[in-house]
Amino acid sequence: TVTGVQTCALPIFQFAPLYAAIEKGYFREAGVEVELDYSFETDGVKLVGAGELPFAVASGEQVLLARAQGAPVTYVAAWYQRYPISVVAKRDEGISSPQDLKGKRIGLPGLFGANYIGLRALLFSAGLDEADVKLESVGFNQVEVLAADRQQAIVGYTANEPIQLKAQGFDISELRVADYVQLASNGILAGEKVISEDPALVRAFVTAFLKGMRYAIERPDEVYALSAKYIPNFSDLDENVQKQILAASIEMWKAERLGHSDPQAWENMKDVLLKMGLIPADLDLSKAYTNEFIP
């Protein structure tokens, strides 16, 4: 079976488990040939919902938002066990708790996606709302805008922007969303059609993917090296920074049972989206995710 997997827009080291599963032959042994398609997360969710792609990488909020629109998609394996979003500021801004964000000017890619949902969840944890801060869309230039003091804080991925800023010598403070609320995070999405018609394919894919994840967790240096063929301009990258990014990512993948979805994390995500008015109260979580394919 040849199966496509939609990831994010760029090949990056955070996708090391997929690269490992391909390079170590885990997908091949499972009878699955994988083609990676780099595009936006929302596009992948739509393609899976339409039955045009069997799998995609998607964050928890995208799953619930899609189901609220009637898309027949189900999250079949958790990748990240901790929501991978942080709010970052220079130390002298005095932001050491979510309450300190009140009145601050905060830059983020836009009012969408995991960055936005993570920030809103962090604000909720402090009894704050969007109206209590000043949000500005800055595209994916968070490092540059904070470095140039064009924002008082930025929202980014825990395993990316904070590490990049530290590597540039900035003294920063970081609020990790996962330290304040447990939310359903990035994982593997499948369509209801492929789940019902070919559950063996789903099980084979998930099992091979989790083998790749375990390999990456246990052998980070090896998986860093084998990822080279997938990463553009690999030789030009700062190896120290990129290995820090991989290490930080690995810490968010670890679990006693790799791939397992935490029901409370899904309840928390549903609550956040309900408070934002983005999903209906009667959304059925039992169809949004499953642990039946987790070894």
Side-chain angles (χ1 to χ4, degrees):
T1 300
V2 178
T3 184
V5 185
Q6 190 116 20
T7 65
C8 83
L10 294 170
I12 51 179
F13 286 101
Q14 286 93 322
F15 293 123
L18 283 169
Y19 303 151
I22 295 170
E23 292 299 309
K24 301 306 294 182
Y26 301 143
F27 283 126
R28 185 174 61 251
E29 291 166 6
V32 179
E33 182 181 342
V34 170
E35 295 176 357
L36 298 178
D37 179 12
Y38 297 99
S39 187
F40 287 108
E41 180 181 39
T42 48
D43 295 335
V45 174
K46 289 176 184 176
L47 289 170
V48 169
E52 297 178 25
L53 199 69
F55 304 105
V57 176
S59 51
E61 78 281 349
Q62 294 302 318
V63 178
L64 299 189
L65 291 172
R67 290 200 64 88
Q69 297 297 316
V73 295
T74 302
Y75 184 99
V76 294
W79 187 329
Y80 285 72
Q81 297 292 335
R82 291 172 59 80
Y83 205 70
I85 298 300
S86 291
V87 175
V88 186
K90 290 183 179 178
R91 185 80 60 186
D92 56 15
E93 281 291 345
I95 298 175
S96 59
S97 71
Q99 288 83 358
D100 296 328
L101 294 172
K102 188 172 184 178
K104 299 293 186 181
R105 194 172 66 257
I106 305 173
L108 69 170
L111 305 186
F112 58 85
N115 286 286
Y116 179 53
I117 300 301
L119 174 62
R120 289 294 299 267
L122 192 64
L123 293 173
F124 287 147
S125 76
L128 301 176
D129 205 344
E130 187 172 335
D132 294 310
V133 297
K134 301 170 186 174
L135 300 186
E136 295 186 14
S137 298
V138 299
F140 294 95
N141 302 300
Q142 302 101 305
V143 170
E144 291 81 1
V145 300
L146 191 70
D149 294 319
R150 297 203 298 269
Q151 300 291 329
Q152 293 173 286
I154 57 97
V155 187
Y157 272 76
T158 303
N160 191 5
E161 281 78 9
I163 294 170
Q164 299 280 1
L165 285 159
K166 288 176 184 176
Q168 292 182 27
F170 292 105
D171 184 19
I172 64 169
S173 59
E174 178 185 359
L175 301 177
R176 295 187 176 188
V177 172
D179 289 341
Y180 296 89
V181 60
Q182 172 73 342
L183 298 174
S185 190
N186 304 52
I188 303 297
L189 188 69
E192 288 184 0
K193 189 171 186 287
V194 71
I195 290 172
S196 63
E197 294 181 357
D198 198 353
L201 169 62
V202 180
R203 190 175 304 280
F205 181 89
V206 168
T207 299
F209 166 72
L210 294 177
K211 284 183 179 179
M213 189 192 298
R214 186 170 298 282
Y215 184 90
I217 291 171
E218 294 177 350
R219 301 175 179 85
D221 287 339
E222 289 181 39
V223 84
Y224 180 87
L226 66 78
S227 296
K229 65 186 289 185
Y230 297 90
I231 310 294
N233 304 315
F234 177 85
S235 60
D236 297 331
L237 298 174
D238 184 321
E239 181 175 343
N240 181 53
V241 170
Q242 296 303 320
K243 284 189 172 181
Q244 287 183 57
I245 288 173
L246 179 58
S249 300
I250 285 172
E251 287 305 310
M252 291 183 283
W253 305 338
K254 288 180 178 178
E256 185 174 329
R257 184 183 177 198
L258 291 182
H260 181 263
S261 279
D262 175 9
Q264 188 60 54
W266 285 97
E267 291 287 350
N268 294 344
M269 179 60 82
K270 181 179 178 180
D271 288 346
V272 169
L273 297 180
L274 276 172
K275 289 175 183 175
M276 295 174 68
L278 296 177
I279 61 172
D282 60 353
L283 186 70
D284 186 0
L285 279 183
S286 69
K287 295 181 179 180
Y289 72 95
T290 180
N291 283 314
E292 69 172 293
F293 299 105
I294 306 304

